[in-house]
PDB file of all heavy atoms in Angstrom:
ATOM      1  N   GLY A  86     106.717  62.708  77.997  1.00 94.00           N
ATOM      2  CA  GLY A  86     106.278  63.924  78.652  1.00 94.00           C
ATOM      3  C   GLY A  86     105.375  64.803  77.798  1.00 94.00           C
ATOM      4  O   GLY A  86     104.854  65.809  78.288  1.00 94.00           O
ATOM      5  N   CYS A  87     105.166  64.446  76.527  1.00 94.00           N
ATOM      6  CA  CYS A  87     104.343  65.310  75.668  1.00 94.00           C
ATOM      7  C   CYS A  87     102.873  65.305  76.091  1.00 94.00           C
ATOM      8  O   CYS A  87     102.188  66.322  75.941  1.00 94.00           O
ATOM      9  CB  CYS A  87     104.501  64.958  74.187  1.00 94.00           C
ATOM     10  SG  CYS A  87     103.765  63.407  73.654  1.00 94.00           S
ATOM     11  N   MET A  88     102.380  64.205  76.628  1.00 91.00           N
ATOM     12  CA  MET A  88     100.993  64.169  77.107  1.00 91.00           C
ATOM     13  C   MET A  88     100.820  65.075  78.325  1.00 91.00           C
ATOM     14  O   MET A  88      99.832  65.804  78.430  1.00 91.00           O
ATOM     15  CB  MET A  88     100.563  62.747  77.459  1.00 91.00           C
ATOM     16  CG  MET A  88     100.614  61.792  76.294  1.00 91.00           C
ATOM     17  SD  MET A  88      99.541  62.319  74.959  1.00 91.00           S
ATOM     18  CE  MET A  88      99.291  60.791  74.121  1.00 91.00           C
ATOM     19  N   GLN A  89     101.774  65.031  79.234  1.00 94.00           N
ATOM     20  CA  GLN A  89     101.726  65.901  80.409  1.00 94.00           C
ATOM     21  C   GLN A  89     101.794  67.363  79.993  1.00 94.00           C
ATOM     22  O   GLN A  89     101.058  68.205  80.527  1.00 94.00           O
ATOM     23  CB  GLN A  89     102.869  65.575  81.366  1.00 94.00           C
ATOM     24  CG  GLN A  89     102.843  66.425  82.617  1.00 94.00           C
ATOM     25  CD  GLN A  89     104.006  66.132  83.545  1.00 94.00           C
ATOM     26  OE1 GLN A  89     105.032  65.587  83.147  1.00 94.00           O
ATOM     27  NE2 GLN A  89     103.851  66.513  84.803  1.00 94.00           N
ATOM     28  N   LYS A  90     102.639  67.677  79.014  1.00 96.00           N
ATOM     29  CA  LYS A  90     102.725  69.051  78.525  1.00 96.00           C
ATOM     30  C   LYS A  90     101.379  69.494  77.945  1.00 96.00           C
ATOM     31  O   LYS A  90     100.923  70.607  78.192  1.00 96.00           O
ATOM     32  CB  LYS A  90     103.817  69.177  77.468  1.00 96.00           C
ATOM     33  CG  LYS A  90     103.961  70.580  76.940  1.00 96.00           C
ATOM     34  CD  LYS A  90     105.067  70.706  75.914  1.00 96.00           C
ATOM     35  CE  LYS A  90     105.130  72.130  75.393  1.00 96.00           C
ATOM     36  NZ  LYS A  90     106.172  72.297  74.387  1.00 96.00           N
ATOM     37  N   ARG A  91     100.725  68.602  77.176  1.00 93.00           N
ATOM     38  CA  ARG A  91      99.413  68.917  76.607  1.00 93.00           C
ATOM     39  C   ARG A  91      98.392  69.173  77.717  1.00 93.00           C
ATOM     40  O   ARG A  91      97.633  70.140  77.677  1.00 93.00           O
ATOM     41  CB  ARG A  91      98.948  67.766  75.707  1.00 93.00           C
ATOM     42  CG  ARG A  91      97.667  67.990  74.911  1.00 93.00           C
ATOM     43  CD  ARG A  91      96.375  67.543  75.572  1.00 93.00           C
ATOM     44  NE  ARG A  91      96.462  66.319  76.338  1.00 93.00           N
ATOM     45  CZ  ARG A  91      96.155  65.104  75.882  1.00 93.00           C
ATOM     46  NH1 ARG A  91      95.750  64.941  74.639  1.00 93.00           N
ATOM     47  NH2 ARG A  91      96.237  64.057  76.661  1.00 93.00           N
ATOM     48  N   ASN A  92      98.380  68.296  78.728  1.00 93.00           N
ATOM     49  CA  ASN A  92      97.421  68.436  79.826  1.00 93.00           C
ATOM     50  C   ASN A  92      97.626  69.745  80.590  1.00 93.00           C
ATOM     51  O   ASN A  92      96.664  70.424  80.939  1.00 93.00           O
ATOM     52  CB  ASN A  92      97.516  67.241  80.766  1.00 93.00           C
ATOM     53  CG  ASN A  92      97.054  65.956  80.102  1.00 93.00           C
ATOM     54  OD1 ASN A  92      96.441  65.973  79.044  1.00 93.00           O
ATOM     55  ND2 ASN A  92      97.373  64.835  80.716  1.00 93.00           N
ATOM     56  N   ARG A  93      98.873  70.112  80.835  1.00 96.00           N
ATOM     57  CA  ARG A  93      99.164  71.368  81.522  1.00 96.00           C
ATOM     58  C   ARG A  93      98.730  72.556  80.659  1.00 96.00           C
ATOM     59  O   ARG A  93      98.198  73.537  81.170  1.00 96.00           O
ATOM     60  CB  ARG A  93     100.638  71.461  81.887  1.00 96.00           C
ATOM     61  CG  ARG A  93     101.029  70.474  82.997  1.00 96.00           C
ATOM     62  CD  ARG A  93     102.497  70.560  83.327  1.00 96.00           C
ATOM     63  NE  ARG A  93     102.820  71.767  84.059  1.00 96.00           N
ATOM     64  CZ  ARG A  93     102.804  71.893  85.379  1.00 96.00           C
ATOM     65  NH1 ARG A  93     102.444  70.865  86.133  1.00 96.00           N
ATOM     66  NH2 ARG A  93     103.129  73.025  85.956  1.00 96.00           N
ATOM     67  N   HIS A  94      98.939  72.463  79.370  1.00 96.00           N
ATOM     68  CA  HIS A  94      98.510  73.522  78.447  1.00 96.00           C
ATOM     69  C   HIS A  94      96.994  73.695  78.516  1.00 96.00           C
ATOM     70  O   HIS A  94      96.496  74.825  78.556  1.00 96.00           O
ATOM     71  CB  HIS A  94      98.957  73.196  77.022  1.00 96.00           C
ATOM     72  CG  HIS A  94      98.506  74.196  76.005  1.00 96.00           C
ATOM     73  ND1 HIS A  94      99.239  75.316  75.712  1.00 96.00           N
ATOM     74  CD2 HIS A  94      97.397  74.246  75.238  1.00 96.00           C
ATOM     75  CE1 HIS A  94      98.591  76.028  74.801  1.00 96.00           C
ATOM     76  NE2 HIS A  94      97.476  75.391  74.493  1.00 96.00           N
ATOM     77  N   LEU A  95      96.271  72.576  78.534  1.00 93.00           N
ATOM     78  CA  LEU A  95      94.813  72.642  78.621  1.00 93.00           C
ATOM     79  C   LEU A  95      94.375  73.380  79.888  1.00 93.00           C
ATOM     80  O   LEU A  95      93.498  74.238  79.842  1.00 93.00           O
ATOM     81  CB  LEU A  95      94.209  71.237  78.600  1.00 93.00           C
ATOM     82  CG  LEU A  95      94.280  70.486  77.275  1.00 93.00           C
ATOM     83  CD1 LEU A  95      93.879  69.024  77.468  1.00 93.00           C
ATOM     84  CD2 LEU A  95      93.402  71.148  76.233  1.00 93.00           C
ATOM     85  N   VAL A  96      94.984  73.039  81.000  1.00 96.00           N
ATOM     86  CA  VAL A  96      94.646  73.691  82.270  1.00 96.00           C
ATOM     87  C   VAL A  96      95.028  75.163  82.227  1.00 96.00           C
ATOM     88  O   VAL A  96      94.248  76.033  82.619  1.00 96.00           O
ATOM     89  CB  VAL A  96      95.330  72.973  83.457  1.00 96.00           C
ATOM     90  CG1 VAL A  96      95.195  73.783  84.746  1.00 96.00           C
ATOM     91  CG2 VAL A  96      94.750  71.571  83.641  1.00 96.00           C
ATOM     92  N   ASP A  97      96.219  75.457  81.744  1.00 97.00           N
ATOM     93  CA  ASP A  97      96.709  76.830  81.730  1.00 97.00           C
ATOM     94  C   ASP A  97      95.843  77.758  80.871  1.00 97.00           C
ATOM     95  O   ASP A  97      95.821  78.971  81.100  1.00 97.00           O
ATOM     96  CB  ASP A  97      98.162  76.883  81.241  1.00 97.00           C
ATOM     97  CG  ASP A  97      99.145  76.270  82.234  1.00 97.00           C
ATOM     98  OD1 ASP A  97      98.797  76.139  83.428  1.00 97.00           O
ATOM     99  OD2 ASP A  97     100.255  75.910  81.806  1.00 97.00           O
ATOM    100  N   CYS A  98      95.146  77.191  79.909  1.00 94.00           N
ATOM    101  CA  CYS A  98      94.316  77.997  79.003  1.00 94.00           C
ATOM    102  C   CYS A  98      92.823  77.881  79.314  1.00 94.00           C
ATOM    103  O   CYS A  98      91.988  78.227  78.476  1.00 94.00           O
ATOM    104  CB  CYS A  98      94.587  77.580  77.559  1.00 94.00           C
ATOM    105  SG  CYS A  98      96.268  77.903  77.027  1.00 94.00           S
ATOM    106  N   SER A  99      92.481  77.389  80.497  1.00 92.00           N
ATOM    107  CA  SER A  99      91.078  77.140  80.835  1.00 92.00           C
ATOM    108  C   SER A  99      90.674  77.847  82.123  1.00 92.00           C
ATOM    109  O   SER A  99      91.513  78.200  82.942  1.00 92.00           O
ATOM    110  CB  SER A  99      90.836  75.638  81.008  1.00 92.00           C
ATOM    111  OG  SER A  99      91.125  74.952  79.815  1.00 92.00           O
ATOM    112  N   SER A 100      89.375  78.011  82.286  1.00 91.00           N
ATOM    113  CA  SER A 100      88.836  78.541  83.534  1.00 91.00           C
ATOM    114  C   SER A 100      88.047  77.474  84.289  1.00 91.00           C
ATOM    115  O   SER A 100      87.659  77.674  85.429  1.00 91.00           O
ATOM    116  CB  SER A 100      87.934  79.741  83.257  1.00 91.00           C
ATOM    117  OG  SER A 100      86.883  79.368  82.392  1.00 91.00           O
ATOM    118  N   ALA A 101      87.805  76.335  83.628  1.00 90.00           N
ATOM    119  CA  ALA A 101      87.066  75.229  84.250  1.00 90.00           C
ATOM    120  C   ALA A 101      87.654  73.904  83.776  1.00 90.00           C
ATOM    121  O   ALA A 101      88.261  73.832  82.707  1.00 90.00           O
ATOM    122  CB  ALA A 101      85.587  75.298  83.893  1.00 90.00           C
ATOM    123  N   CYS A 102      87.463  72.885  84.583  1.00 89.00           N
ATOM    124  CA  CYS A 102      87.928  71.539  84.247  1.00 89.00           C
ATOM    125  C   CYS A 102      86.752  70.583  84.417  1.00 89.00           C
ATOM    126  O   CYS A 102      86.236  70.413  85.518  1.00 89.00           O
ATOM    127  CB  CYS A 102      89.083  71.140  85.170  1.00 89.00           C
ATOM    128  SG  CYS A 102      89.645  69.434  84.953  1.00 89.00           S
ATOM    129  N   ILE A 103      86.323  69.984  83.321  1.00 84.00           N
ATOM    130  CA  ILE A 103      85.284  68.960  83.362  1.00 84.00           C
ATOM    131  C   ILE A 103      85.995  67.631  83.145  1.00 84.00           C
ATOM    132  O   ILE A 103      86.668  67.443  82.129  1.00 84.00           O
ATOM    133  CB  ILE A 103      84.212  69.191  82.285  1.00 84.00           C
ATOM    134  CG1 ILE A 103      83.574  70.569  82.466  1.00 84.00           C
ATOM    135  CG2 ILE A 103      83.162  68.080  82.330  1.00 84.00           C
ATOM    136  CD1 ILE A 103      82.649  70.978  81.345  1.00 84.00           C
ATOM    137  N   CYS A 104      85.879  66.741  84.112  1.00 85.00           N
ATOM    138  CA  CYS A 104      86.633  65.487  84.038  1.00 85.00           C
ATOM    139  C   CYS A 104      85.733  64.307  84.389  1.00 85.00           C
ATOM    140  O   CYS A 104      84.604  64.470  84.852  1.00 85.00           O
ATOM    141  CB  CYS A 104      87.817  65.531  84.987  1.00 85.00           C
ATOM    142  SG  CYS A 104      87.338  65.654  86.733  1.00 85.00           S
ATOM    143  N   PHE A 105      86.267  63.124  84.169  1.00 83.00           N
ATOM    144  CA  PHE A 105      85.641  61.881  84.612  1.00 83.00           C
ATOM    145  C   PHE A 105      86.724  61.132  85.368  1.00 83.00           C
ATOM    146  O   PHE A 105      87.502  60.378  84.798  1.00 83.00           O
ATOM    147  CB  PHE A 105      85.128  61.070  83.417  1.00 83.00           C
ATOM    148  CG  PHE A 105      84.265  59.907  83.833  1.00 83.00           C
ATOM    149  CD1 PHE A 105      82.897  60.066  83.996  1.00 83.00           C
ATOM    150  CD2 PHE A 105      84.824  58.660  84.086  1.00 83.00           C
ATOM    151  CE1 PHE A 105      82.096  59.008  84.398  1.00 83.00           C
ATOM    152  CE2 PHE A 105      84.038  57.592  84.488  1.00 83.00           C
ATOM    153  CZ  PHE A 105      82.668  57.761  84.639  1.00 83.00           C
ATOM    154  N   LEU A 106      86.811  61.384  86.658  1.00 86.00           N
ATOM    155  CA  LEU A 106      87.869  60.845  87.506  1.00 86.00           C
ATOM    156  C   LEU A 106      87.272  59.854  88.494  1.00 86.00           C
ATOM    157  O   LEU A 106      86.472  60.227  89.346  1.00 86.00           O
ATOM    158  CB  LEU A 106      88.572  61.987  88.256  1.00 86.00           C
ATOM    159  CG  LEU A 106      89.715  61.597  89.181  1.00 86.00           C
ATOM    160  CD1 LEU A 106      90.866  60.979  88.393  1.00 86.00           C
ATOM    161  CD2 LEU A 106      90.199  62.822  89.948  1.00 86.00           C
ATOM    162  N   THR A 107      87.662  58.573  88.354  1.00 88.00           N
ATOM    163  CA  THR A 107      87.137  57.533  89.233  1.00 88.00           C
ATOM    164  C   THR A 107      88.192  56.983  90.187  1.00 88.00           C
ATOM    165  O   THR A 107      87.852  56.333  91.164  1.00 88.00           O
ATOM    166  CB  THR A 107      86.565  56.363  88.415  1.00 88.00           C
ATOM    167  OG1 THR A 107      87.586  55.846  87.560  1.00 88.00           O
ATOM    168  CG2 THR A 107      85.361  56.817  87.584  1.00 88.00           C
ATOM    169  N   LYS A 108      89.456  57.210  89.906  1.00 88.00           N
ATOM    170  CA  LYS A 108      90.531  56.773  90.801  1.00 88.00           C
ATOM    171  C   LYS A 108      91.625  57.834  90.783  1.00 88.00           C
ATOM    172  O   LYS A 108      91.859  58.486  89.768  1.00 88.00           O
ATOM    173  CB  LYS A 108      91.083  55.406  90.407  1.00 88.00           C
ATOM    174  CG  LYS A 108      91.566  55.310  88.973  1.00 88.00           C
ATOM    175  CD  LYS A 108      91.989  53.901  88.611  1.00 88.00           C
ATOM    176  CE  LYS A 108      92.397  53.852  87.135  1.00 88.00           C
ATOM    177  NZ  LYS A 108      92.819  52.538  86.742  1.00 88.00           N
ATOM    178  N   HIS A 109      92.227  58.002  91.923  1.00 90.00           N
ATOM    179  CA  HIS A 109      93.186  59.092  92.050  1.00 90.00           C
ATOM    180  C   HIS A 109      94.604  58.615  91.718  1.00 90.00           C
ATOM    181  O   HIS A 109      95.483  58.569  92.587  1.00 90.00           O
ATOM    182  CB  HIS A 109      93.122  59.709  93.440  1.00 90.00           C
ATOM    183  CG  HIS A 109      93.616  61.116  93.452  1.00 90.00           C
ATOM    184  ND1 HIS A 109      92.880  62.167  92.955  1.00 90.00           N
ATOM    185  CD2 HIS A 109      94.796  61.637  93.836  1.00 90.00           C
ATOM    186  CE1 HIS A 109      93.577  63.273  93.057  1.00 90.00           C
ATOM    187  NE2 HIS A 109      94.743  62.973  93.592  1.00 90.00           N
ATOM    188  N   GLU A 110      94.781  58.277  90.457  1.00 90.00           N
ATOM    189  CA  GLU A 110      96.107  57.895  89.960  1.00 90.00           C
ATOM    190  C   GLU A 110      96.121  58.096  88.451  1.00 90.00           C
ATOM    191  O   GLU A 110      95.075  58.151  87.806  1.00 90.00           O
ATOM    192  CB  GLU A 110      96.428  56.439  90.308  1.00 90.00           C
ATOM    193  CG  GLU A 110      95.438  55.442  89.740  1.00 90.00           C
ATOM    194  CD  GLU A 110      95.698  54.011  90.194  1.00 90.00           C
ATOM    195  OE1 GLU A 110      96.084  53.817  91.364  1.00 90.00           O
ATOM    196  OE2 GLU A 110      95.513  53.102  89.384  1.00 90.00           O
ATOM    197  N   GLY A 111      97.306  58.251  87.904  1.00 89.00           N
ATOM    198  CA  GLY A 111      97.441  58.388  86.459  1.00 89.00           C
ATOM    199  C   GLY A 111      97.322  59.821  85.970  1.00 89.00           C
ATOM    200  O   GLY A 111      97.239  60.780  86.753  1.00 89.00           O
ATOM    201  N   GLY A 112      97.299  59.955  84.650  1.00 88.00           N
ATOM    202  CA  GLY A 112      97.321  61.254  83.998  1.00 88.00           C
ATOM    203  C   GLY A 112      96.122  62.130  84.296  1.00 88.00           C
ATOM    204  O   GLY A 112      96.251  63.344  84.472  1.00 88.00           O
ATOM    205  N   THR A 113      94.939  61.532  84.368  1.00 88.00           N
ATOM    206  CA  THR A 113      93.742  62.324  84.663  1.00 88.00           C
ATOM    207  C   THR A 113      93.831  62.899  86.074  1.00 88.00           C
ATOM    208  O   THR A 113      93.560  64.088  86.280  1.00 88.00           O
ATOM    209  CB  THR A 113      92.466  61.484  84.496  1.00 88.00           C
ATOM    210  OG1 THR A 113      92.411  60.987  83.163  1.00 88.00           O
ATOM    211  CG2 THR A 113      91.224  62.303  84.789  1.00 88.00           C
ATOM    212  N   ALA A 114      94.233  62.085  87.039  1.00 93.00           N
ATOM    213  CA  ALA A 114      94.358  62.557  88.426  1.00 93.00           C
ATOM    214  C   ALA A 114      95.403  63.661  88.522  1.00 93.00           C
ATOM    215  O   ALA A 114      95.184  64.681  89.201  1.00 93.00           O
ATOM    216  CB  ALA A 114      94.715  61.399  89.349  1.00 93.00           C
ATOM    217  N   TYR A 115      96.512  63.488  87.850  1.00 94.00           N
ATOM    218  CA  TYR A 115      97.559  64.518  87.861  1.00 94.00           C
ATOM    219  C   TYR A 115      97.019  65.838  87.307  1.00 94.00           C
ATOM    220  O   TYR A 115      97.239  66.904  87.865  1.00 94.00           O
ATOM    221  CB  TYR A 115      98.765  64.051  87.037  1.00 94.00           C
ATOM    222  CG  TYR A 115      99.810  65.123  86.886  1.00 94.00           C
ATOM    223  CD1 TYR A 115     100.797  65.302  87.856  1.00 94.00           C
ATOM    224  CD2 TYR A 115      99.785  65.987  85.792  1.00 94.00           C
ATOM    225  CE1 TYR A 115     101.748  66.308  87.735  1.00 94.00           C
ATOM    226  CE2 TYR A 115     100.729  66.992  85.663  1.00 94.00           C
ATOM    227  CZ  TYR A 115     101.705  67.148  86.628  1.00 94.00           C
ATOM    228  OH  TYR A 115     102.634  68.149  86.510  1.00 94.00           O
ATOM    229  N   THR A 116      96.287  65.748  86.196  1.00 94.00           N
ATOM    230  CA  THR A 116      95.757  66.945  85.550  1.00 94.00           C
ATOM    231  C   THR A 116      94.707  67.625  86.422  1.00 94.00           C
ATOM    232  O   THR A 116      94.681  68.851  86.547  1.00 94.00           O
ATOM    233  CB  THR A 116      95.186  66.597  84.166  1.00 94.00           C
ATOM    234  OG1 THR A 116      96.214  65.961  83.403  1.00 94.00           O
ATOM    235  CG2 THR A 116      94.698  67.832  83.439  1.00 94.00           C
ATOM    236  N   VAL A 117      93.843  66.835  87.054  1.00 95.00           N
ATOM    237  CA  VAL A 117      92.827  67.399  87.950  1.00 95.00           C
ATOM    238  C   VAL A 117      93.500  68.083  89.140  1.00 95.00           C
ATOM    239  O   VAL A 117      93.098  69.183  89.539  1.00 95.00           O
ATOM    240  CB  VAL A 117      91.821  66.314  88.392  1.00 95.00           C
ATOM    241  CG1 VAL A 117      90.925  66.813  89.520  1.00 95.00           C
ATOM    242  CG2 VAL A 117      90.985  65.862  87.204  1.00 95.00           C
ATOM    243  N   ASP A 118      94.529  67.461  89.696  1.00 96.00           N
ATOM    244  CA  ASP A 118      95.263  68.094  90.800  1.00 96.00           C
ATOM    245  C   ASP A 118      95.872  69.422  90.359  1.00 96.00           C
ATOM    246  O   ASP A 118      95.822  70.410  91.090  1.00 96.00           O
ATOM    247  CB  ASP A 118      96.358  67.170  91.334  1.00 96.00           C
ATOM    248  CG  ASP A 118      95.827  66.043  92.192  1.00 96.00           C
ATOM    249  OD1 ASP A 118      94.661  66.128  92.645  1.00 96.00           O
ATOM    250  OD2 ASP A 118      96.569  65.074  92.406  1.00 96.00           O
ATOM    251  N   TYR A 119      96.435  69.440  89.167  1.00 97.00           N
ATOM    252  CA  TYR A 119      97.017  70.663  88.632  1.00 97.00           C
ATOM    253  C   TYR A 119      95.939  71.733  88.448  1.00 97.00           C
ATOM    254  O   TYR A 119      96.143  72.902  88.780  1.00 97.00           O
ATOM    255  CB  TYR A 119      97.752  70.368  87.320  1.00 97.00           C
ATOM    256  CG  TYR A 119      98.454  71.562  86.727  1.00 97.00           C
ATOM    257  CD1 TYR A 119      99.512  72.183  87.389  1.00 97.00           C
ATOM    258  CD2 TYR A 119      98.070  72.067  85.490  1.00 97.00           C
ATOM    259  CE1 TYR A 119     100.155  73.279  86.851  1.00 97.00           C
ATOM    260  CE2 TYR A 119      98.711  73.167  84.935  1.00 97.00           C
ATOM    261  CZ  TYR A 119      99.760  73.769  85.622  1.00 97.00           C
ATOM    262  OH  TYR A 119     100.394  74.856  85.076  1.00 97.00           O
ATOM    263  N   ALA A 120      94.778  71.324  87.948  1.00 96.00           N
ATOM    264  CA  ALA A 120      93.660  72.259  87.769  1.00 96.00           C
ATOM    265  C   ALA A 120      93.217  72.835  89.109  1.00 96.00           C
ATOM    266  O   ALA A 120      92.921  74.037  89.215  1.00 96.00           O
ATOM    267  CB  ALA A 120      92.496  71.560  87.069  1.00 96.00           C
ATOM    268  N   LYS A 121      93.177  72.001  90.147  1.00 97.00           N
ATOM    269  CA  LYS A 121      92.815  72.479  91.484  1.00 97.00           C
ATOM    270  C   LYS A 121      93.837  73.500  91.979  1.00 97.00           C
ATOM    271  O   LYS A 121      93.471  74.539  92.541  1.00 97.00           O
ATOM    272  CB  LYS A 121      92.739  71.306  92.467  1.00 97.00           C
ATOM    273  CG  LYS A 121      91.533  70.425  92.299  1.00 97.00           C
ATOM    274  CD  LYS A 121      91.590  69.269  93.292  1.00 97.00           C
ATOM    275  CE  LYS A 121      90.454  68.294  93.107  1.00 97.00           C
ATOM    276  NZ  LYS A 121      90.584  67.131  94.013  1.00 97.00           N
TER     277      LYS A 121
END
C-alpha cells in the first residue's frame, strides 16, 4: 500500500495531473481517477 499512499499524496498536494494513461487499469488509472 505504500505506492498507493505516495500516489494519493501526489494528488493531494497538486493542482494538476500530467499522466500517460493508455489503459484504464492499474496504479496509474487509480491515481488519475483519484485526481479527477
Side-chain angles (χ1 to χ4, degrees):
C87 71
M88 299 300 202
Q89 181 182 20
K90 181 179 178 181
R91 186 268 322 265
N92 293 347
R93 290 179 73 90
H94 177 88
L95 289 170
V96 170
D97 291 340
C98 296
S99 299
S100 58
C102 175
I103 302 172
C104 64
F105 190 89
L106 180 64
T107 57
K108 55 185 177 179
H109 204 75
E110 59 185 37
T113 302
Y115 174 86
T116 304
V117 169
D118 284 344
Y119 183 64
K121 286 178 184 176

